[in-house]
Amino acid sequence: MKKLSIFILIFLLIIPLSPQAKTESINEDEVFPFLQEAFKAQVALSEAPRTKEEITELLNPYFSTSYQSIFWAENIVEEGGMFLTYGSDFAPNYIPFFQYSKETKIIQRPGKVYVYEYFPAMNEGPVSYDGHYKGLLLKKFNGIWKVDQLFIGDMPKTVVESDF
């Protein structure tokens, strides 16, 4: 009986008690580096022309198929049978220039993670804009977190209000 009790105790210590918690959420310490790497993958597309397969391979670890389609349509151009992005001050569907600080909020929901930040109005220099939120929605695809949607000024109110 004593051996059985010891065996059960060891077994319980080895097996995680809440495996769903690990699969449903992402560690907040992982979110910022993940997004920074996703941005680097996007920027790398301007370094040299690539095949469609090479671009897909670069973006797949970070972006859902639907996000890649939107990004492709807005940013990627064909040149001599190869593909690349051009640098621009207005490059749609790139990871926002988050501060990656306490100003950058992370809100977790079941199967979703919202990352957003408020960008104050800018009225100086060649670029001006009203104050607005920019954010991303991360979702799980086959057990892997990926960027699935970009929000510019249209963050869901329930997400922004939940942070207050």
Side-chain angles (χ1 to χ4, degrees):
M1 186 71 162
K2 190 174 181 179
K3 287 182 183 181
L4 181 60
S5 296
I6 292 172
F7 175 77
I8 291 172
L9 180 63
I10 291 172
F11 182 76
L12 289 174
L13 291 174
I14 294 173
I15 304 294
L17 295 176
S18 59
Q20 281 189 324
K22 276 191 167 185
T23 61
E24 288 302 315
S25 64
I26 183 171
N27 183 328
E28 291 186 4
D29 294 336
E30 297 172 314
V31 173
F32 290 172
F34 172 80
L35 293 177
Q36 290 167 332
E37 290 301 313
F39 179 73
K40 285 179 189 176
Q42 289 176 314
V43 171
L45 299 177
S46 67
E47 294 171 353
R50 301 171 194 272
T51 65
K52 285 183 180 183
E53 294 77 18
E54 290 171 325
I55 290 174
T56 300
E57 189 175 309
L58 260 174
L59 297 178
N60 260 347
Y62 308 104
F63 302 96
S64 70
T65 304
S66 62
Y67 196 96
Q68 287 182 54
S69 296
I70 294 167
F71 182 82
W72 189 283
E74 294 286 333
N75 296 289
I76 298 177
V77 295
E78 183 177 2
E79 205 175 84
M82 301 293 275
F83 301 89
L84 73 154
T85 60
Y86 294 127
S88 170
D89 289 342
F90 177 73
N93 300 300
Y94 275 78
I95 300 292
F97 290 109
F98 291 135
Q99 292 182 36
Y100 298 108
S101 69
K102 66 180 179 151
E103 302 303 317
T104 311
K105 308 297 183 188
I106 299 170
I107 305 294
Q108 297 210 23
R109 299 282 187 258
K112 299 177 181 180
V113 175
Y114 292 91
V115 181
Y116 69 95
E117 189 171 313
Y118 182 75
F119 289 79
M122 172 68 76
N123 295 314
E124 298 177 17
V127 177
S128 67
Y129 52 81
D130 293 333
H132 62 283
Y133 287 97
K134 286 187 182 178
L136 298 167
L137 170 62
L138 281 64
K139 286 186 180 177
K140 262 198 168 173
F141 295 89
N142 296 322
I144 299 171
W145 288 101
K146 294 186 180 196
V147 175
D148 188 54
Q149 190 173 354
L150 171 69
F151 300 97
I152 299 178
D154 60 348
M155 282 298 301
K157 283 187 178 187
T158 56
V159 172
V160 175
E161 290 170 355
S162 71
D163 192 45
F164 295 104

